Amino acid sequence: MAMDSRLVEELANQLRRKRLSLLEGVAGSQRAARALIEERGSEIEENAQKHRIAGLVSCLNDRDQKMIEEIDVTLKRIDEGTYGQCASCEDEIGSERIRALPTATLCIDCATAREKRQRSISVNRSSEWLITIDSEHYDRS
Ligand SMILES: [Zn+2]
């Protein structure tokens, strides 16, 4: 069953606004960092320090950029008409979950299962585990 088109439209608009403000934020902090480096260019003789500032900014931006990517994927899914459908089991994600987490690509069951699996990977790093997970992954695709 397709998602409520009004809800999809509303969420799409929300995501587009969010994307725009994230992009502005990323560009803004890059400008600020550049200005800081230029302004203090004579003071900051050491390249290491310039790198540290640049690194700090890119670290902050990484999170935002990842969020922008998630939004892009979601907007693409809206365009393709697959929005609201679980990327793994193709069940409906459910409007409640979508409303709470508009960029969700998995239904709650698949998301929980994946989380559990990821936790097992970090707890149990034996190669046997990784092989099991790998073959599972290939079966599905
Ligand atoms: Zn699912």
Side-chain angles (χ1 to χ4, degrees):
M1 200 189 89
M3 295 262 306
D4 178 351
S5 60
R6 259 197 327 219
L7 174 64
V8 172
E9 193 49 43
E10 189 191 310
L11 291 173
N13 283 332
Q14 255 179 44
L15 288 170
R16 284 190 196 104
R17 276 199 300 272
K18 175 90 178 153
R19 187 179 184 280
L20 215 62
S21 77
L22 282 169
L23 281 173
E24 279 166 8
V26 169
S29 54
Q30 270 165 356
R31 264 200 307 276
R34 256 201 305 276
L36 187 71
I37 290 169
E38 273 165 31
E39 183 190 315
R40 302 200 160 195
S42 52
E43 290 171 49
I44 308 172
E45 291 293 316
E46 273 177 88
N47 260 332
Q49 221 163 340
K50 286 184 196 174
H51 278 300
R52 202 148 56 209
I53 294 170
L56 195 71
V57 171
S58 81
C59 189
L60 280 171
N61 286 344
D62 271 358
R63 209 190 43 202
D64 285 351
Q65 250 146 15
K66 201 164 175 289
M67 215 182 282
I68 292 168
E69 271 167 39
E70 270 177 28
I71 290 173
D72 282 344
V73 168
T74 307
L75 289 172
K76 193 164 163 270
R77 284 167 65 87
I78 290 173
D79 280 344
E80 286 170 348
T82 55
Y83 186 56
Q85 203 179 52
C86 176
S88 180
C89 70
E90 295 186 2
D91 262 5
E92 242 187 287
I93 294 177
S95 53
E96 218 171 293
R97 179 166 161 77
I98 280 290
R99 238 188 270 260
L101 191 68
T103 53
T105 53
L106 295 172
C107 71
I108 188 73
D109 289 340
C110 292
T112 310
R114 177 171 290 192
E115 225 172 85
K116 256 188 210 155
R117 221 162 34 220
Q118 272 166 357
R119 214 172 297 149
S120 325
I121 297 170
S122 55
V123 172
N124 198 337
R125 275 201 177 272
S126 81
S127 53
E128 211 182 305
W129 258 97
L130 291 173
I131 288 163
T132 315
I133 286 150
D134 268 346
S135 56
E136 222 173 82
H137 178 78
Y138 288 126
D139 280 350
R140 211 165 266 176
S141 58

